[in-house]
Amino acid sequence: MNKHATSNLKAEKITGGVATDQRHDSAHKHVSGTAVYIDDMPEPAGTLHGCLGLSAAAHATITSMDLSAVRAASGVVDVLTAKDVPGENDISPTGRHDEPVLADGKVEFFGQPIFCVIAETREQARRATRLAKVEYKELPFVTDIGELDPRKDKLVTPPLTLRRGDAAAAIKAAPRRLKGKMRVGGQEHFYLEGHIAMAIPGEDQDVTIYSSTQHPSEVQHMVSHALGVPSNAITVEIRRMGGGFGGKETQGNQFAALAAIAAKRHHRAVKIRPDRDDDMIATGKRHDFLVDYEVGFDDEGNILGVDFMFAARCGFSSDLSGPVTDRALFHCDNTYFWPAVHAQSAPLYTNTVSNTAFRGFGGPQGMVGAERVIDEVAFAVGKDPLEIRKKNFYGTSDRNITPYHQTVEDNIIQRIVAELEESASYARRRREISAFNANSRFIKRGLALTPVKFGISFTATHYNQAGALVHVYNDGSVHLNHGGTEMGQGLYVKVAQVVAEEFQVDLDQVKITATTTGKVPNTSATAASSGTDLNGMAAQNGARQIKDRLTDFAAEKYQVPRDQVLFLPNRVRIGNQEIAFADLVKQAYMARIQLSAAGFYKTPKIHWNRDKGQGRPFYYFAYGASCSEVSVDTLTGEYVVERTDILHETGRSLNRAIDLGQVEGGFIQGMGWLTTEELWWDDKGRLRTHAPSTYKIPLASDRPKIFNVTLADWPEASEPTIHRSKAVGEPPFPLGMSVLHALSDAVASVADHKICPRLDAPATPERVLMAIERLKGEANA
Amino acid sequence: MAKVTVRNEIRFILNGSDVVLTSVAPDATLLDWLRLDRSLRGTKEGCAEGDCGACTVLVGKLSAGGLVYESVNACIRFLGSLVGTHVVTVEHLRGEPGKLHPVQQAIVDFHGSQCGFCTPGFVMSLYGLWMKSPDPSNAAIEKALQGNLCRCTGYEAIMRAAHAISSYGKAAKDPLAVERKAITARLEAMHDGARVEIGSGKKRLIVPANVDDFAALLDKEPGATVVAGSTDVGLWVTKHMRDISPVIFIGNLDGLRTISEDKGVISIGAGVTYSEAFSTLAKRIPALGPLFDRIGGEQVRNMGTIGGNIANGSPIGDTPPPLIALGARLTLRKGKKRRTIPLETFFIAYGKQDRQPGEFVESVHVPVPAKDTKFAVHKITKRRDEDITAALGAFFLTLARDGTVADLRIAYGGMAATPKRASFVEQALLGKPWTEATVETAMAEYARDFSPLTDMRASAEYRALAAKNLLLRFFVETTGTRAPFQVSRNEAA
C-alpha cells in the first residue's frame, strides 16, 4: 500500500507545516552514520584520486619544475599542470580573470596549487606530490596589510566609498573628536567536512561532478570554462555538505575543475579530497581588516560624524573581495545613525591565499568597527558603552537613513535591547561586577551588551533570484528540488515545510532531493542568509502553479466555483465533498493535467548603484542583541565566559528549533572568531595555523557557563517574505561581539575604566594580557 | 627468557565479527581500513591528526578492571595496535528493534546535529561516557567532548541531548553491557601470549609477546619505531608521510601498563595512558588532576601514554615539567639492562635525549609530595582545552619552619628547547622568606633562565610575561588567600 494511504484524512492540521519545530530532515541519518557525504559515496570501479602540489614560496617565478620523480612514483597515472587545462585556466568567480586553476610560471602565495597528481589511490597521490622538485626565483612579498598604504597600494578590485553629509566638516565642527585604528582578524571556516569533488565522465563532452559546494551553478560554469565545453555538458550535484559557512561558495571550483579535467583525460572517475592541512592552506578565509576611524561627538556621547577606512587583506586575487568589502561598509553603521559619514574600502592585494566568503561576508567586520567607535566615545565621555549605544541607535521615523541612503523602515532594535537589558539584569550585574572587581586583585569581571542589525539580500542584485522544481507524482507524493544547498542549516526541511503547507500534505509526503544543476538552472549561491527566503518562495511558487491547475481541474470536473475548492490537511474539499489529495491527483493525472512546475522568485524592491553608493541593497534587516559577562585573569590573560544572554529575532519563524540552532551556533562561531581563532603567518609567508592542532575553534567547554538564548516571539518581517519569516544564517554571528566587549570591559577595569582598552580581535589570552599591561602602563604614566 | 611463539596474523573484533588479518601495512590506520577496506563510512575523517573527533570509535580492551570501552581517534590509531581489542563503530549502535540507540535518539530529538559530519564522532564519545557514567555532570560531558569539534551547533543542543540520554534507555541494558561477558571471553581467547609479526624485512609490524620480548626485539633492531599510543607517531604517517617501519606496538603490553605505589613513590609503566593514570595521580597528587584534564581530548588521553610523552622529548610535552618539579626518576631499559636517572637529565637538547639505541623508557617514578610541601602546575594555552601548551610552569616548594624557602623546583615547558628548570629564579628564592616582595624580586630572574620563541601559539613577550606571572599566581595560592587566583571553568558564576 502506498504510504499516502495512511495519511490522516481527518486531521485539523498537517504534520510538519510552517511555524512548527521540525527536526533536521537528515538527523536520524546523521546520528547513525548513514547520511551520505561525497566521500562516502561508493566510487565507480577504477576511480582515480588527485592531490594538489602546492607552492613553497610566497611570491616567485617558477624557474624549473621537475616532476619526473612524481610521474615515476608508484600508482601515479598523470600529473596536471597549467598547460593541461584544455579551456581557460581561470576560476575567478566574478570574471576578473585573476585566479588560475593551476599557477602558470608564477606563484603569488605560499600554498598556491601548481600541479595536481592523479594516482590510483589517494595515498599514492599524496606521497608522489612530495617528490616534486620546483625551483623558484623569489620576489618581494607582503602578507600583512599593516605594511601597506590603503590609499596607494595595489588593490584586487575597485574600492567603494559611501558618503552621506559632510563627515569631515561634521567631525571638525564637533565639540570633541578622536582617531584610532583597529585590527580585526580573519577566520578559517573549519567546516568539518573538507572540500571534495568527484567527477564521473560521461559520453561526448559530458561530466557529472559531485562537489561539496554552496554554488553548484558556479561550479558548473567554471568547469565548463576550464574544459572549454558548454555548460550543458556539465552537471553538478550536491545532496549535503558537512558545513559550508561561505567557505564552499567559490572555493570548491578548483577541486571540481581539476577532477573534471582528469576524468575527461582518462575516462575514469576522479576524486579529489585534500588533506585538512592542504584545505586550510590552499583555500580562502574570512578577510581580516585594519579599520581606521575618526569620530566627532559631543560631551553627552552623541556622535556627529564618522570617517572610516576599511582596509582588507584580500590575498592574491579578487575572488569575492569586492562584495565582501562592500558589505563591510554596509555594516559600518551596525544599529547606529551616523549623522554624517564617509566610509571607504581598500581591498588590498597581499601574497596570501585569496580570502573569500564567510558567514556575514564582511558585515561582522564592519560592525566590529562601529562598536569600537562606540567604545571610544563611551570612554571619552566617561559613560557606560550601553548608554552611548542606545543614544545613537537609528530612530524609527527619523534619524533612519543609512550611509548608503537606504531608509531603515523596520527598526526594532530599541525594543530588542530594552527587553534583553531587563531579562539579563544588566544594571544590577553592572553594579555587582564593580563591587566584585573592587575586591578582586587578579580576577576581573567584564560585562557588555551589543546589538546587531544585519542587511538581508545579495548586494549583487541579480543574485536575488531562485528556482525550484516541484513534481507531484500520480500517487500524490511530492518531489521537491530547488537551487539551494544543504550544509546543515536546515534549508531543505524548511523549504519542504513550505511545500507541505502549500499542498496541505504531511511533511513526510514531500521528498527532498539533492541539489543539481540538471533540475534547476542558473541558481545563486546558497549564501547571504538568503537560502530560505529565495528558495522557499520559488518552491511555493512551483507548488502554487500545480495547485492552481488542480483547482481548475476540480472546479471543472465537479462543477463548483473555483473558490469552493479548498486544500485541507491531506484532502481537498470540493463543494460539499472531501476527497483525499492523492485521489484528486490521480484524477487529474488521468485527465492529463500537468503535475510538474518550475517555480521562480525574484526579490522585489531592491536596487543598488555602486558608483553613487546609493540605493536599497537590502530587502529588510534582521535584528538581535547579546549580553556577555566574562572573568579575566590579569596575570595571564586567560578568561572564561560566565554568562551570555541573547535575544534574537527571526520574524515569524518557519521552524524555531532550526532557528535556535542557527542562533546558538552562530554566536559561538562569532565568539570563536573574536577570541581564540587566530591565523598566523610566519616570516616566509607560510600560514602556520593550518590544522586544528594550531587553529583553535571553540569547544563545548568554551560555551558560556550560563547561556540563555531566546527567539523574540513578537516580530514579523515587515515585507511579504516567505510566511513573514526572516533570514537567520548570518545575523546571529555578530552576536559574538558581546564577548569581545565584555573582555574589553574587564581589561578597562585595571585602569578604572578611564582608558579605552582598544582590544583588537581575536582577543586571545595574549592580546588580553598585553592590553592589560598597556593600560596599567598608561594609567601609571 | 621463555621461548616466544610467533603468529602472523592480527585478531580483533569489529562490531559483531571476529577479524583476522594476515596482510597489514605497518602504518595502516584504523580509519582508512574501516572506510576503504570495510566500506564502513559512518566514521568520518575531519583532520587526520586526532584533534577533531569526527573519526571517533570505541575500542574495548581488557584491563585489570575488566573490559573497558574507550573513545579513540581512528585516524591516528594504527591497525596493528588493535590486537585483542573490540572495535565499535557507529554502525554497531542499536536500540530496541527498529529504533535508534538512546544516544542517537537523544541527539535527534534535541536537534544536536546540523551538518551532521561531526555527529557520528559525538555519538561515539557520548556513548563511551554514558556507559561509564549514565548521568554525567555538565563538566563530565564537556570533558568527554573536549576532543570533538562541532562547527555548527555551538554545542548547546548536544549538551541538552547528552543530559537526556538516560531518559531514552538504561546503560545497563545496552548491548555492549549485556554482551560484556561474551565479548570478554572472545577477547581473552585472542590473548594467546604469542608475538604477532606481519610482513618481512623492513616492512614489518611487530606486537611483542611481552616486555622481555620487546626489550630483546628493540635491542636487536634499534631502528624500529616504537609506538605506544600513536598520538604523536600517528601524525608522522598521516601528515608527514614518513616511513615508520619496522614498527613495534607496545600499547597492549601488560608489563608496561602497571601503576603502583611503594614507599611514597608512584611508578608508572611506559604504556599507561593518561586516562589510566588519572585516578591514581589525581588522588595522590591533586594538582595533576586539572592538568591531565587539559591534555589533548578524551580520545587522546585514552590513547596517549605518559611514557610516550616523555620519550618523544618534546619541549611542549605537558608531563615532563611537573614530573621534573616533583623530582621524578626515569627507568630506561636496553635488553635486560636497566638504569634509572633523574628525569631532568633525560632531556639534553632539542630532539636529543639520554637514550641509547635499542634503549626504551620503561617506567617513571614520581615521589608523592610530602604533606608540608606545596606543588602546583599551570598550563597556558590559546584555547583552554585540547590545546598544545604555549607555556607551562610547575612549582614544588618546601618552606622551612621560619617561613623561608628550604627547597624549590620550578620547571617549564614551552620556554626553551627542552623542558627546563628556572634555576636562576630558584636560586633567587632559596633561603629567602616566601613573601610577595621576594617573589617579585625573583621574577626579574626569569629573563636569565629563559629566552622563549615567538611562534603561532604565542609571542616571546607573552610567554615571558605569563610565565613569570605564574610564579606570582603560585605565591598567591600557597598563601592560602581566599581570593580566586585563576579563572575556572567549573566554579559557578
Side-chain angles (χ1 to χ4, degrees):
Chain A
M1 189 185 277
N2 288 328
K3 201 179 171 199
H4 69 264
T6 61
S7 293
N8 183 348
L9 297 177
K10 303 216 164 121
E12 285 185 19
K13 283 180 83 171
I14 57 164
T15 57
V18 298
T20 60
D21 293 353
Q22 298 304 310
R23 295 166 191 159
H24 193 284
D25 56 271
S26 297
H28 60 292
K29 291 180 274 192
H30 294 153
V31 296
S32 51
T34 55
V36 176
Y37 302 82
I38 291 169
D39 199 37
D40 304 336
M41 297 169 66
E43 297 89 352
T47 296
L48 298 170
H49 298 263
C51 179
L52 299 179
L54 306 181
S55 147
H59 191 198
T61 50
I62 296 174
T63 52
S64 78
M65 189 151 73
D66 176 2
L67 300 174
S68 53
V70 182
R71 291 181 196 280
S74 170
V76 171
V77 172
D78 198 358
V79 184
L80 304 178
T81 61
K83 68 173 172 40
D84 299 315
V85 178
E88 232 184 314
N89 183 20
D90 181 66
I91 43 166
S92 61
T94 52
R96 299 186 67 82
H97 299 277
D98 59 358
E99 187 166 348
V101 182
L102 292 171
D104 194 0
K106 180 179 155 196
V107 293
E108 294 181 89
F109 75 93
F110 207 115
Q112 184 171 5
I114 49 180
F115 63 94
C116 180
V117 180
I118 306 295
E120 298 288 346
T121 70
R122 182 170 178 270
E123 169 86 7
Q124 287 170 331
R126 288 186 70 210
R127 285 184 183 276
T129 303
R130 309 215 167 183
L131 302 174
K133 294 191 186 77
V134 183
E135 284 172 22
Y136 303 91
K137 180 169 180 280
E138 306 232 6
L139 302 167
F141 68 90
V142 61
T143 56
D144 184 3
I145 51 175
E147 297 163 21
L148 297 174
D149 182 340
R151 286 174 181 80
K152 288 188 188 139
D153 279 309
K154 183 177 170 185
L155 305 177
V156 292
T157 188
L160 175 67
T161 300
L162 298 182
R163 187 181 286 117
R164 214 197 63 252
D166 186 340
I171 293 167
K172 199 172 168 202
R176 304 183 63 175
R177 53 192 165 268
L178 59 81
K179 274 186 188 181
K181 190 191 238 348
M182 173 168 203
R183 187 181 277 268
V184 50
Q187 187 176 28
E188 158 63 33
H189 303 83
F190 212 86
Y191 26 65
L192 263 287
E193 176 214 34
H195 277 282
I196 183 164
M198 180 163 73
I200 301 176
E203 58 190 44
D204 300 327
Q205 297 173 322
D206 297 355
V207 195
T208 297
I209 301 152
Y210 297 91
S211 166
S212 187
T213 177
Q214 294 171 237
H215 200 346
S217 285
E218 184 173 285
V219 172
Q220 177 195 19
H221 300 148
M222 290 296 160
V223 171
S224 87
H225 296 159
L227 284 177
V229 302
S231 291
N232 63 11
I234 312 297
T235 304
V236 177
E237 178 169 324
I238 173 68
R239 171 59 182 85
R240 65 171 62 78
M241 281 165 273
F245 316 112
K248 294 173 180 171
E249 183 168 347
T250 63
Q251 302 295 296
N253 295 336
Q254 191 147 32
F255 307 102
L258 289 165
I261 292 167
K264 289 312 275 185
R265 277 164 79 92
H266 298 283
H267 310 289
R268 291 166 75 174
V270 175
K271 180 151 88 174
I272 303 181
R273 174 172 69 84
D275 181 65
R276 174 64 64 176
D277 295 62
D278 289 354
D279 185 305
M280 288 179 75
I281 289 166
T283 71
K285 308 174 193 315
R286 181 185 296 282
H287 293 66
D288 51 330
F289 278 73
L290 275 174
V291 187
D292 284 294
Y293 51 87
E294 185 172 12
V295 54
F297 53 100
D298 67 18
D299 289 333
E300 294 303 306
N302 295 302
I303 290 170
L304 305 170
V306 191
D307 189 0
F308 283 113
M309 166 61 85
F310 282 93
R313 166 158 39 195
C314 295
F316 82 104
S317 75
S318 55
D319 186 71
L320 299 171
S321 292
V324 166
T325 48
D326 285 3
R327 191 172 273 267
L329 295 198
F330 287 132
H331 288 80
C332 76
D333 55 345
N334 193 15
T335 51
Y336 309 110
F337 175 65
W338 303 144
V341 55
H342 176 250
Q344 284 176 275
S345 67
L348 290 162
Y349 171 94
T350 51
N351 294 107
T352 50
V353 67
S354 192
N355 281 329
T356 193
F358 195 141
R359 198 177 198 171
F361 206 72
Q365 293 94 314
M367 295 155 82
V368 165
E371 294 301 334
R372 165 63 74 82
V373 166
I374 293 288
D375 254 22
E376 289 272 20
V377 172
F379 278 94
V381 301
K383 292 184 193 294
D384 186 323
L386 180 57
E387 194 183 329
I388 303 304
R389 290 192 166 99
K390 292 195 285 191
K391 205 183 273 288
N392 289 284
F393 279 159
Y394 276 113
T396 46
S397 55
D398 63 344
R399 292 169 52 86
N400 59 358
I401 313 291
T402 63
Y404 43 96
H405 299 258
Q406 174 169 353
T407 302
V408 181
E409 296 168 350
D410 57 6
N411 181 18
I412 53 171
I413 195 60
Q414 280 87 351
R415 181 166 171 193
I416 293 267
V417 165
E419 289 190 4
L420 181 64
E421 198 181 341
E422 177 69 27
S423 65
S425 310
Y426 182 89
R428 174 173 62 73
R429 286 163 66 204
R430 170 61 70 202
R431 290 192 299 274
E432 287 170 0
I433 286 169
S434 294
F436 174 91
N437 286 346
N439 291 309
S440 175
R441 182 173 164 202
F442 297 115
I443 304 297
K444 300 292 183 186
R445 292 274 172 103
L447 180 71
L449 193 161
T450 55
V452 167
K453 164 181 131 288
F454 196 85
I456 302 300
S457 293
F458 288 99
T459 54
T461 305
H462 69 275
Y463 261 32
N464 296 287
Q465 59 173 314
L469 182 66
V470 181
H471 303 320
V472 178
Y473 292 103
N474 70 14
D475 63 354
S477 65
V478 179
H479 172 111
L480 167 63
N481 195 272
H482 54 75
T485 57
E486 176 65 42
M487 59 195 107
Q489 81 279 41
L491 170 67
Y492 277 13
V493 70
K494 281 174 146 184
V495 177
Q497 285 175 260
V498 168
V499 170
E501 184 77 29
E502 208 54 45
F503 284 123
Q504 283 295 299
V505 296
D506 292 340
L507 184 60
D508 63 8
Q509 298 298 301
V510 181
K511 174 75 180 175
I512 298 170
T513 58
T515 312
T516 169
T517 57
K519 286 186 185 169
V520 178
N522 306 320
T523 57
S524 297
T526 306
S529 307
S530 69
T532 307
D533 282 15
L534 297 178
N535 295 290
M537 280 297 211
Q540 184 186 51
N541 173 256
R544 280 187 179 171
Q545 292 176 42
I546 298 170
K547 217 168 103 176
D548 278 349
R549 290 184 213 130
L550 287 171
T551 304
D552 288 344
F553 163 71
E556 191 184 325
K557 177 173 167 129
Y558 291 87
Q559 290 297 306
V560 298
R562 238 180 149 272
D563 62 5
Q564 285 188 26
V565 180
L566 289 177
F567 285 74
L568 303 176
N570 300 313
R571 62 199 189 272
V572 184
R573 180 182 295 154
I574 308 166
N576 293 326
Q577 62 174 315
E578 288 185 6
I579 65 170
F581 175 78
D583 291 339
L584 177 66
V585 165
K586 182 60 115 271
Q587 292 172 13
Y589 164 74
M590 296 305 289
R592 298 186 293 172
I593 302 299
Q594 187 191 3
L595 294 172
S596 174
F600 185 76
Y601 175 73
K602 57 181 176 185
T603 311
K605 289 193 176 179
I606 51 176
H607 56 90
W608 171 238
N609 184 328
R610 192 172 186 272
D611 294 333
K612 286 188 176 167
Q614 295 187 14
R616 176 179 176 148
F618 302 121
Y619 191 33
Y620 64 88
F621 297 97
Y623 299 88
S626 64
C627 178
S628 290
E629 178 176 346
V630 299
S631 293
V632 172
D633 182 338
T634 58
L635 289 177
T636 59
E638 295 164 286
Y639 48 79
V640 292
V641 182
E642 300 285 350
R643 172 175 166 180
T644 293
D645 294 75
I646 289 171
L647 182 62
H648 193 83
E649 65 110 6
T650 61
R652 201 187 289 162
S653 174
L654 290 173
N655 184 333
R656 294 174 73 85
I658 296 280
D659 286 359
L660 182 68
Q662 289 295 301
V663 176
E664 290 171 347
F667 168 81
I668 296 292
Q669 201 177 68
M671 177 188 84
W673 168 50
L674 296 171
T675 55
T676 58
E677 294 185 36
E678 186 173 33
L679 296 165
W680 195 86
W681 284 263
D682 68 14
D683 56 8
K684 293 198 166 57
R686 286 182 295 192
L687 175 70
R688 298 300 297 274
T689 46
H690 53 71
S693 52
T694 46
Y695 184 79
K696 312 311 283 187
I697 73 169
L699 287 173
S701 55
D702 294 310
R703 288 156 36 255
K705 287 188 208 169
I706 301 170
F707 193 26
N708 302 316
V709 182
T710 307
L711 296 182
D713 58 7
W714 45 267
E716 65 172 45
S718 58
E719 299 292 342
T721 56
I722 186 75
H723 293 283
R724 297 271 175 183
S725 65
K726 282 191 178 185
V728 68
E730 293 163 300
F733 179 88
L735 295 170
M737 290 191 301
S738 62
V739 176
L740 176 66
H741 285 268
L743 289 169
S744 170
D745 185 52
V747 170
S749 71
V750 305
D752 199 23
H753 293 270
K754 296 257 191 300
I755 305 167
C756 181
R758 296 189 168 181
L759 180 62
D760 284 348
T764 56
E766 170 164 349
R767 280 208 183 77
V768 169
L769 183 63
M770 293 316 188
I772 287 167
E773 290 294 304
R774 180 161 40 77
L775 257 65
K776 282 181 178 168
E778 287 176 30
N780 293 332
Chain B
M1 193 171 88
K3 187 159 167 48
V4 170
T5 55
V6 176
R7 160 156 62 88
N8 301 112
E9 59 183 38
I10 285 172
R11 300 174 193 161
F12 60 95
I13 306 173
L14 170 65
N15 295 331
S17 313
D18 285 6
V19 173
V20 178
L21 301 174
T22 53
S23 173
V24 180
D27 59 0
T29 64
L30 173 58
L31 180 62
D32 278 352
W33 181 76
L34 288 172
R35 290 184 59 85
L36 302 179
D37 290 59
R38 306 296 291 224
S39 292
L40 290 173
R41 296 190 167 185
T43 308
K44 311 300 182 193
E45 179 182 311
C47 70
E49 62 174 26
D51 262 281
C52 81
C55 66
T56 303
V57 299
L58 296 184
V59 171
K61 65 181 183 189
L62 295 175
S63 294
L67 176 58
V68 182
Y69 287 94
E70 293 177 325
S71 58
V72 306
N73 294 119
C75 66
I76 51 170
R77 184 75 189 245
F78 293 113
L79 209 48
S81 74
L82 294 167
V83 169
T85 66
H86 181 199
V87 176
V88 180
T89 70
V90 70
E91 287 87 356
H92 195 52
L93 267 67
R94 54 207 191 275
E96 289 167 30
K99 290 193 172 166
L100 292 170
H101 187 275
V103 174
Q104 296 171 319
Q105 193 62 50
I107 292 177
V108 169
D109 288 353
F110 285 84
H111 310 282
S113 73
Q114 286 184 24
C115 86
F117 197 83
C118 70
T119 310
F122 274 88
V123 166
M124 297 312 287
S125 285
L126 289 174
Y127 186 23
L129 172 67
W130 180 67
M131 279 196 287
K132 278 184 266 183
S133 173
D135 289 297
S137 66
N138 219 44
I141 300 168
E142 287 177 359
K143 185 180 159 188
L145 295 181
Q146 282 170 347
N148 290 85
L149 299 178
C150 170
R151 193 54 151 166
C152 297
T153 64
Y155 304 98
E156 202 62 27
I158 297 171
M159 296 296 294
R160 288 192 280 264
H163 282 294
I165 296 167
S166 281
S167 66
Y168 289 86
K170 286 193 164 32
K173 289 191 176 166
D174 184 77
L176 285 187
V178 172
E179 294 159 15
R180 176 173 297 270
K181 270 190 185 164
I183 296 285
T184 301
R186 280 162 71 181
L187 293 178
E188 276 169 352
M190 290 178 178
H191 284 259
D192 59 1
R195 178 200 300 165
V196 174
E197 255 189 274
I198 293 185
S200 60
K202 203 167 170 281
K203 291 278 167 206
R204 213 154 93 251
L205 80 80
I206 304 162
V207 184
N210 51 48
V211 181
D212 290 341
D213 188 30
F214 167 47
L217 281 162
L218 188 66
D219 200 21
K220 217 172 91 189
E221 199 151 358
T225 306
V226 178
V227 177
S230 75
T231 57
D232 194 24
V233 179
L235 278 72
W236 301 1
V237 171
T238 61
K239 295 297 168 179
H240 310 302
M241 287 177 277
R242 266 166 69 177
D243 187 356
I244 58 166
S245 53
V247 184
I248 305 178
F249 294 106
I250 61 167
N252 70 334
L253 298 184
D254 290 339
L256 293 178
R257 287 173 63 196
T258 57
I259 181 160
S260 61
E261 185 174 339
D262 183 36
K263 296 182 185 127
V265 176
I266 301 169
S267 289
I268 305 164
V272 174
T273 64
Y274 299 110
S275 294
E276 288 166 341
F278 180 83
S279 62
T280 304
L281 290 180
K283 194 167 131 204
R284 299 291 288 133
I285 313 175
L288 289 178
L291 173 69
F292 270 55
D293 281 353
R294 290 177 60 199
I295 296 175
E298 187 78 358
Q299 298 92 325
V300 163
R301 293 190 290 266
N302 288 337
M303 293 165 68
T305 63
I306 297 171
N309 196 235
I310 293 168
N312 84 359
S314 167
I316 46 175
D318 281 344
T319 59
L323 297 183
I324 288 170
L326 288 164
R329 295 170 68 77
L330 194 65
T331 295
L332 295 131
R333 177 171 174 186
K334 179 173 156 56
K336 290 178 181 165
K337 280 188 228 140
R338 291 184 173 88
R339 64 188 174 107
T340 298
I341 60 171
L343 174 60
E344 191 182 346
T345 64
F346 180 66
F347 304 101
I348 298 168
Y350 183 76
K352 189 170 180 218
Q353 296 88 43
D354 178 11
R355 181 154 55 88
Q356 307 304 310
E359 195 174 38
F360 66 94
V361 171
E362 189 173 46
S363 55
V364 61
H365 314 283
V366 189
V368 177
K371 278 217 163 53
D372 54 355
T373 60
K374 297 178 191 303
F375 170 68
V377 52
H378 296 299
K379 167 172 168 166
I380 293 180
T381 49
K382 211 178 277 183
R383 182 179 69 197
R384 179 173 178 79
D385 292 320
E386 205 214 20
D387 197 358
I388 294 167
T389 283
L392 180 147
F395 307 85
F396 183 85
L397 170 73
T398 310
L399 291 178
R401 280 171 185 279
D402 63 358
T404 58
V405 175
D407 191 12
L408 178 63
R409 285 193 297 273
I410 302 175
Y412 273 84
M415 296 291 287
T418 60
K420 186 173 176 289
R421 292 271 291 272
S423 310
F424 287 103
V425 178
E426 291 174 3
Q427 285 306 316
L429 284 163
L430 279 171
K432 301 275 167 39
W434 184 240
T435 63
E436 188 164 340
T438 54
V439 165
E440 291 266 359
T441 307
M443 282 166 73
E445 298 295 301
Y446 270 86
R448 297 173 70 188
D449 278 314
F450 299 111
S451 308
L453 293 176
T454 292
D455 67 9
M456 66 292 220
R457 295 198 176 87
S459 70
E461 298 75 31
Y462 176 68
R463 283 193 163 102
L465 178 58
K468 75 177 178 184
N469 281 352
L470 289 183
L471 180 65
L472 181 55
R473 179 192 282 180
F474 179 60
F475 170 77
V476 173
E477 65 186 309
T478 57
T479 52
T481 168
R482 297 283 299 168
F485 57 87
Q486 191 179 2
V487 290
S488 159
R489 177 69 199 162
N490 296 322
E491 279 167 33

